[in-house]
Amino acid sequence: MASLPITELNARAREIFRLAVEGYIASGQPVGSRTLAGAGGLNLSPASIRSVLHELEGLGLLAAPHTSAGRMPTELGLRLFVDGMMQVAEPTAEERAAIERQVTQPGPIEAALAATSAILSDLSACAGVVMVPRRDPRLAQLQLVPLARDRALAVLVGADGSVENRVVEVPLGIAPGALEQASNYISAHLGGRTLTEAVQAIAAEIASGRSALDAASRDLVERGLAVWSEDAARRPVLIVRGQANLLDETTLTDLERVRLLLEDLESKQSVADLLDSAREAEATRIFIGAENRLFALSGSSVIASPYRDRDGRVVGVVGVIGPTRLNYARVVPMVDFTAQSLGKLIG
């Protein structure tokens, strides 16, 4: 069922709908007509409010979990509220400072991303998620330096001046010149290429017999490239923190939904694929319940925002996963601010 424009509701219906949604988000419980009448400002009797609630239910915007209960928004209703009625609340100075402290902490970028995911989880009371940037820089040089009889240090130098080291096993009795020959051969093929591109080019040349390497040097080339390829493949694509925040008093009454949600989070590649769909978004994206296939059964929402480097290229996605009744007005700008802060970190 497609969402109808908010303008199709009259002023009275819009106000009752807004109060019903905000009341549900605040409490996690269906909101009744007496509660709405007592909220003040409507100047309507409970009977008049019930009539409007019934109309909103007929439009598919509200639902009653059972006959005597109040109303709660459907996913369609939440979408209408988020797109047409929500008034966002910017993060407080304390929240902004807490996020920036985690983003700018010294150490590897993965550590900063993990800390950022954790603080976002704490502030939003949801699970925080961050996609690790796809790091495939342009390369300048790879040097194999002897360490011991069966060990060498593979030093990878990026075109941007970055340097990373890995230890490589080498065959016993390898000739001293073989390490230098292998280093020179690899470096000659790296200029301006990414590691993926260099591996493909070198592998094709070796397979075709065009390389002038002897067997020992060819083995070292393959070992040196393999350690970097394997390392890149093992980098986490997704960091998730704060899953315990999803287990509140309301979810514990529906253990099957909790089980499905935790199973979804265990499938990190599937979550990463979902977040990847937000990479091309100009602003923060909101997926509510069944709008995303991954969390359709567990009835969860995802708020995700891409973060960019100094050239405006999207390098990752940050977001939160929580119940459909999460406080969108507060969390959406918080995720957006976190994405902006991560963009400054990546540079």
Side-chain angles (χ1 to χ4, degrees), residues 36-37 62 111 144 149 175 205 214 217 230 233 253 260 289 304 317 335:
L36 293 171
L62 298 178
L144 294 169
R149 294 174 61 245
E205 188 166 303
D214 58 30
S217 297
E230 290 170 6
T253 62
L260 291 169
V317 179
V335 170

Side-chain angles (χ1 to χ4, degrees), residues 90-242:
E90 292 301 317
T92 65
E94 291 78 11
E95 290 169 341
R96 291 196 299 271
I99 292 169
E100 288 178 332
R101 275 197 302 273
Q102 300 305 320
V103 170
T104 58
Q105 70 171 337
I109 188 172
E110 285 83 3
L113 292 174
T116 300
S117 181
I119 190 64
L120 190 56
S121 169
D122 291 342
L123 293 174
S124 66
C126 299
V129 291
V130 178
M131 279 185 67
V132 177
R134 292 170 177 163
R135 293 169 54 177
D136 207 0
R138 300 289 165 180
L139 306 173
Q141 183 181 18
L142 191 147
Q143 190 73 27
L144 294 169
V145 181
L147 288 178
R149 294 174 61 245
D150 61 345
R151 294 283 191 278
L153 186 67
V155 182
L156 187 68
V157 181
D160 59 357
S162 61
V163 178
E164 291 192 50
N165 304 318
R166 296 292 184 275
V167 175
V168 182
E169 292 186 4
V170 299
L172 291 173
I174 192 79
L179 288 172
E180 183 178 358
Q181 184 185 14
S183 298
N184 293 338
Y185 181 83
I186 295 173
S187 295
H189 288 75
L190 289 184
R193 285 177 164 152
T194 66
L195 179 62
T196 301
E197 292 167 347
V199 168
Q200 292 172 346
I202 292 173
E205 188 166 303
I206 290 175
S208 67
R210 295 196 307 271
S211 74
L213 295 171
D214 58 30
S217 297
R218 184 166 60 249
D219 179 62
L220 287 173
V221 167
E222 292 171 345
R223 287 170 186 259
L225 293 176
V227 70
W228 289 101
S229 300
E230 290 170 6
D231 181 74
R234 289 172 182 162
R235 289 184 189 273
V237 295
L238 188 74
I239 297 172
V240 182
R241 294 290 184 271

Side-chain angles (χ1 to χ4, degrees), residues 129-132 238 275-276 278-279 304-307 314-319:
V129 291
V130 178
M131 279 185 67
V132 177
L238 188 74
L275 294 183
D276 204 45
R279 290 177 64 90
S305 181
Y307 56 97
V314 174
V315 292
V317 179
V318 62

Side-chain angles (χ1 to χ4, degrees), residues 75 78-79 126-127 246 257 261 274 286-292 295 298-304 320-326 328:
E75 291 179 3
L78 284 171
R79 172 53 64 188
C126 299
L246 302 172
R257 188 175 77 81
L261 175 56
L274 170 63
I286 303 170
F287 304 89
I288 299 175
E291 290 178 354
N292 72 82
F295 292 106
S298 61
S300 302
S301 288
V302 179
I303 299 173
V320 299
I321 300 169
T324 54
R325 69 171 186 86
L326 63 81
Y328 298 92

